[in-house]
């Protein structure tokens, strides 16, 4: 873990709070290159009525626009929840170099929890670090789903 990982994860966490306030699953993402934020996003699935509007995808799109390039070599993605297989594919294709995530996704996690997508592409070098702000990220998700169940919207 690098010194600034927690600092950037706090910004991803703020994105997750924005998502939660919109009624979205609270996941936030930030992409950093040379210690500068080049893209950020939060889940927008319900808002955009788009199953692909995950925080990571929104952040990758923003970073690609900022860099005017789909290749994000040398960048780090900070995300509060372990990416799913769709997002893992986008991370690999966009050539992000490093992924730092908060809490594991025991249902859809693609970087070790349910499956490890890196086992399918041994030539691609991608550093994966989990557990940065793990408790905060997990607590936020638990709170969100507890409220949804209480409101009768457990989907």
């Amino acid at each position: 873990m690098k010194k600034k990982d927690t600092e950037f994860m706090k910004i991803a966490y703020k994105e997750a709070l924005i998502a939660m306030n919109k009624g979205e699953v609270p996941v936030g993402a930030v992409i950093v290159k040379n210690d500068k934020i080049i893209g950020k996003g939060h889940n927008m699935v319900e808002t955009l009525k788009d199953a692909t509007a995950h925080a990571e995808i929104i952040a990758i799109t923003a970073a690609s626009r900022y860099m005017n390039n789909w290749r994000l070599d040398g960048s780090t993605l900070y995300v509060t929840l372990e990416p799913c297989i769709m997002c893992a594919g986008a991370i690999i294709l966009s050539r992000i170099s490093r992924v730092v995530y908060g809490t594991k996704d025991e249902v859809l996690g693609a970087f070790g929890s349910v499956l490890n997508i890196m086992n399918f592409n041994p030539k691609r070098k991608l550093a994966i670090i989990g557990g940065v702000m793990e408790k905060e990220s997990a607590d936020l998700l638990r709170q969100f789903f507890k409220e949804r169940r209480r409101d009768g919207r457990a989907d």
Side-chain angles (χ1 to χ4, degrees):
M1 186 168 87
K2 292 186 179 180
K3 185 178 177 181
K4 293 194 176 189
D5 285 348
T6 302
E7 176 185 327
F8 288 119
M9 187 61 82
K10 285 179 181 177
I11 298 167
Y13 184 83
K14 287 179 185 175
E15 286 292 316
L17 290 172
I18 293 169
M20 190 160 109
N21 289 333
K22 291 180 176 180
E24 299 278 355
V25 175
V27 178
V30 174
I31 300 178
V32 175
K33 185 168 183 169
N34 299 324
D35 291 332
K36 179 180 171 91
I37 295 172
I38 61 170
K40 59 184 179 176
H42 53 270
N43 270 1
M44 298 281 289
V45 172
E46 298 297 334
T47 302
L48 298 176
K49 309 291 186 244
D50 180 355
T52 68
H54 289 195
E56 300 94 324
I57 303 297
I58 303 291
I60 289 168
T61 300
S64 296
R65 284 190 185 134
Y66 179 86
M67 298 299 292
N68 195 28
N69 195 337
W70 61 269
R71 294 174 189 89
L72 300 175
D73 305 80
S75 65
T76 299
L77 168 71
Y78 296 89
V79 61
T80 56
L81 180 64
E82 177 186 4
C84 70
I85 194 164
M86 173 186 71
C87 293
I91 289 162
I92 290 167
L93 290 172
S94 65
R95 300 186 180 158
I96 288 171
S97 301
R98 194 166 169 261
V99 174
V100 178
Y101 68 84
T103 191
K104 292 182 179 204
D105 184 342
E106 301 291 345
V107 177
L108 296 171
F111 286 117
S113 292
V114 176
L115 65 93
N116 188 343
I117 197 161
M118 297 313 294
N119 291 339
F120 301 99
N121 192 358
K123 292 180 182 178
R124 177 70 171 93
K125 301 297 181 214
L126 179 63
I128 310 293
I129 294 112
V132 178
M133 291 185 60
E134 182 174 16
K135 182 181 181 334
E136 297 89 338
S137 298
D139 287 349
L140 189 63
L141 286 160
R142 272 192 285 280
Q143 176 188 346
F144 175 80
F145 285 111
K146 182 179 179 182
E147 289 174 13
R148 287 192 57 107
R149 283 189 297 278
R150 186 188 66 227
D151 296 342
R153 299 179 295 152
D155 58 338

